[in-house]
Structures are given as C-alpha cells and as structure tokens.
C-alpha cells in the first residue's frame, strides 16, 4: 500500500534524511520518499506488517510531527494561517535581533572604527561595565531566537543533528570561549 503523510518540523536536508531513515527502519516498509519543501512523505508498506500509526510513531520518535495526508489540499494551496503566523513571527525576530545587534556592534566594535563609547564603558576602568552591557544586549537576541537552541539540542539528543544543532553548539562554544579569555 502506498500512503502520503504530512511531516512537520523539518528545516533542512538532514531533517528529511533522518525522517526517511526512521521510517525505513519500520518493519514492513519497502519505500520512503520525503519531500522537504512540501513537508510531505510517501511511504510504501505492507499493510499486514505495519500501519499508518506505526509510521507516525517512527517519525515522532525522531522529533518531528506527522499525520496522514487526507488529500483535501489542492496542488497549489493558498498560504495557511499557520504559515502566515510563522512568517510574521520570523519578521519580528529578524527586526528585533537586528536592532539589538546594531547596538551590540556599536559597543563591541565601535572603538575599532573610531566611534566613542560612553564614559562608563570606555577604557580599562569600564571593562566590566562594557562586558555587562554586551551581555545585556546579547540576551534578548538569544531569547527571541531560542527556537534554534531548543531544536538544535533536541536533535542532538535524538542523535540526528541538523543545522539548528550546528548553530546552537557554535553559539554555546563561542560564549564559553569568550569567558575563558
């Protein structure tokens, strides 16, 4: 039997490969094709050996969501309210991150290009104040983009790292080395 599923939570090729690997390991599955861009999966399986719920559980055990595709959507679906909300959320994250990043860049790199820092953060006497200011400006960026850290470490726990895991580990490593200098 060949059946289509909707798969959620995939953000890169590593995600789709992990979903494909998880479903291929289910006894009775003879073929799996995952489409990252469409968020869908076509599975060919033996009805006597497994069922749709077993396949959904295999996808969910990998850290993603899945549901049987009922086929009600047309070939060119209108953008869903969830997609509109996700786009609006992403725009907000980018704008807020950019604002804090510009101010953070002023404090962290301003002196190198000839900009004057406020007196409380300038010179050797202001090193602690400067570090504290940079930390305070970094926290909103990290908090608003916490999705990358949550997804990244979740995929590491499932031993299927994605680009989110790379971003999260690199940021944590960089933060740790900043304190050891």
């Amino acid at each position: 039997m060949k059946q289509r599923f909707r798969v959620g939570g995939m953000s890169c090729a590593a995600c789709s490969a992990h979903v494909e690997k998880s479903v291929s390991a289910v006894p009775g599955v003879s073929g799996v094709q995952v489409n990252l861009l469409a968020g869908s999966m076509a599975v060919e399986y033996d009805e006597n050996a497994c069922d749709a719920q077993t396949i959904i559980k295999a996808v969910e055990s990998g850290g993603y969501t899945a549901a049987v595709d009922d086929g009600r959507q047309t070939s060119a679906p209108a953008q869903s309210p969830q997609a509109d909300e996700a786009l609006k959320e992403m725009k907000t994250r980018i704008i807020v991150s950019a604002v804090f990043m510009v101010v953070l860049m002023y404090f962290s790199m301003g002196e190198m290009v000839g900009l004057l820092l406020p007196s409380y953060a300038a010179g050797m006497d202001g090193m602690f104040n400067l570090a504290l200011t940079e930390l305070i400006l970094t926290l909103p960026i990290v908090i608003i983009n916490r999705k990358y850290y949550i997804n990244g470490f979740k995929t590491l726990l499932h031993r299927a790292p994605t680009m989110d895991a790379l971003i999260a580990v690199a940021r944590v490593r960089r933060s740790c080395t900043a304190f050891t200098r």
Side-chain angles (χ1 to χ4, degrees):
M1 170 180 199
K2 191 166 188 169
Q3 190 163 20
R4 296 190 61 77
F5 295 85
R6 290 186 316 275
V7 181
M10 296 187 300
S11 60
C12 64
C15 297
S16 60
H18 186 251
V19 168
E20 199 167 304
K21 182 179 175 185
S22 297
V23 175
S24 294
V26 173
V29 172
S30 58
V32 182
Q33 292 178 326
V34 178
N35 186 333
L36 173 65
L37 296 177
S40 66
M41 172 178 67
V43 181
E44 199 168 323
Y45 64 95
D46 180 13
E47 293 177 69
N48 299 326
C50 69
D51 61 347
Q53 288 304 319
T54 307
I55 294 169
I56 290 172
K57 286 179 186 174
V59 173
E60 290 174 348
S61 71
Y64 305 96
T65 61
V68 175
D69 191 357
D70 52 14
R72 281 190 254 168
Q73 289 196 353
T74 62
S75 60
Q79 196 165 354
S80 68
Q82 295 90 354
D84 288 338
E85 186 64 32
L87 185 62
K88 184 178 176 184
E89 179 186 325
M90 187 180 297
K91 284 180 182 177
T92 304
R93 280 196 336 243
I94 289 172
I95 291 169
V96 171
S97 295
V99 168
F100 278 99
M101 188 253 337
V102 167
V103 178
L104 179 62
M105 289 295 290
Y106 168 75
F107 276 97
S108 63
M109 306 295 280
E111 278 188 317
M112 292 180 197
V113 294
L115 300 174
L116 295 176
L117 287 179
S119 60
Y120 73 90
M124 295 298 282
D125 296 333
M127 283 191 322
F128 178 76
N129 293 336
L130 179 62
L132 189 61
T133 302
E134 290 175 358
L135 174 68
I136 290 169
L137 290 170
T138 302
L139 284 177
I141 297 170
V142 170
I143 290 169
I144 200 164
N145 292 295
R146 68 187 173 275
K147 165 183 146 311
Y148 296 109
Y149 298 98
I150 292 168
N151 291 342
F153 288 117
K154 188 189 308 181
T155 59
L156 278 176
L157 289 175
H158 288 288
R159 294 184 346 198
T162 61
M163 288 302 290
D164 292 338
L166 180 64
I167 292 167
V169 169
R171 292 291 174 211
V172 169
R173 182 185 172 278
R174 186 166 187 218
S175 298
C176 291
T177 56
F179 288 113
T180 59
R181 287 186 202 172

